Amino acid sequence: MLLWDGSASLYRDNELSTLHPQDGNVWAIKSTLASPAQASLISAALESRWGPYGAPAPEADATVSPFISGFELEAHFLAGEEGRALELMRRQWGFMLDDERMTNSTFIEGYSVDGSLHYAPYPNDARISHAHGWSTAPTSLLSFYVAGLHLESAVGTTWRIEPVLGDLTNVEAGFETKLGGFWSNVKGTGGVIKELKFGTPIGTTGRVILTGVEGVLVSDKGKKVLVVDGEAKGLSGGIWSLYTR
């Protein structure tokens, strides 16, 4: 492709630039512009640029942007690199939660790659928001990707349960739409799912994807659906439990 730089495994910002932006590269994955092979390369190249305080956004000078880094988190999940996404959460959002200059409960709008509370786009550091909603990507991504709660049509009329645990062993998440509650409880070791229980609203339909898992899903009404080649289709809304072989 025109802007692909094979030597860096990243896209350039434009034809005349040597800059490899964080935002453009993560969006190449999210928009499916990048092929699966390129997505894997981009994910690794982005990780190689991380500093002790998180992922840089070189398009905004020496800046860490939690807003754009939220899209980077999703890009790693989409590239099948959930371990990389979880590590970036721990590194960058852990810094924002634990550093004594923060609030210990909210996330900042941006800061410098050296960890100082300076955000290059603003000449006045006092202008930086320390309770910035656009910096809260892990909240939704842990629910959607790690706990596996994907809505595939408006308000969840159709859904997909596809958890990816990475190095976690026990995950619970849930939320509601106007149709009702969606929730899951997942347990596993070494990234392999051993237990799953989830609930979706009555009247909805969906599927479950559990890569590498064989077993059967049993509803609270006694209905059974086999997990074949890591997938179970045609499930109705309700409470389901996984029994592995």
Side-chain angles (χ1 to χ4, degrees):
M1 294 183 182
L2 180 63
L3 301 179
W4 177 250
D5 182 352
S7 64
S9 296
L10 292 166
Y11 285 96
R12 292 181 289 118
D13 190 62
N14 60 70
E15 293 179 72
L16 303 178
S17 174
T18 59
L19 174 69
H20 302 98
Q22 181 189 27
D23 56 5
N25 277 281
V26 299
W27 197 259
I29 296 176
K30 183 171 173 59
S31 66
T32 68
L33 172 68
S35 68
Q38 284 178 314
S40 180
L41 292 171
I42 292 170
S43 175
L46 290 171
E47 180 190 28
S48 73
R49 306 197 306 190
W50 295 350
Y53 305 104
E59 63 271 27
D61 297 323
T63 293
V64 174
S65 167
F67 170 59
I68 295 302
S69 292
F71 286 99
E72 179 171 335
L73 291 177
E74 186 171 15
H76 293 307
F77 279 120
L78 290 170
E81 298 290 347
E82 59 271 10
R84 201 167 275 156
L86 291 171
E87 170 56 27
L88 182 55
M89 285 185 200
R90 294 178 176 119
R91 182 181 303 213
Q92 185 166 322
W93 278 263
F95 166 66
M96 287 187 276
L97 283 174
D98 294 339
D99 189 83
E100 62 183 8
R101 294 164 296 174
M102 306 289 187
T103 69
N104 301 117
S105 62
T106 60
F107 296 131
I108 194 171
E109 184 176 3
Y111 53 93
S112 174
V113 293
D114 66 5
S116 61
L117 303 192
H118 172 71
Y119 186 42
Y122 294 161
N124 183 355
D125 291 345
R127 181 180 171 185
I128 304 172
S129 167
H130 285 253
H132 203 64
W134 286 3
S135 297
T136 59
T139 304
S140 59
L141 296 178
L142 287 167
S143 298
F144 298 157
Y145 289 94
V146 179
L149 298 168
H150 298 270
L151 304 187
E152 297 203 305
S153 61
V155 298
T157 301
T158 56
W159 41 264
R160 179 177 91 255
I161 307 297
E162 187 179 1
V164 288
L165 290 179
D167 62 356
L168 301 178
T169 58
N170 190 349
V171 174
E172 293 184 60
F175 54 79
E176 290 188 1
T177 74
K178 68 178 184 180
L179 297 179
F182 295 80
W183 58 269
S184 70
N185 187 332
V186 193
K187 296 181 181 179
T189 55
V192 178
I193 293 168
K194 302 294 185 181
E195 298 179 32
L196 169 65
K197 189 172 184 177
F198 68 90
T200 56
I202 300 300
T204 63
T205 58
R207 58 195 175 114
V208 173
I209 297 178
L210 300 168
T211 302
V213 173
E214 294 186 2
V216 61
L217 288 163
V218 181
S219 77
D220 57 345
K221 306 299 183 184
K223 184 176 180 179
K224 298 181 180 180
V225 177
L226 289 175
V227 179
V228 179
D229 295 328
E231 185 171 1
K233 301 178 181 178
L235 280 72
S236 57
I239 298 174
W240 293 83
S241 298
L242 172 69
Y243 295 87
T244 57
R245 296 175 181 175

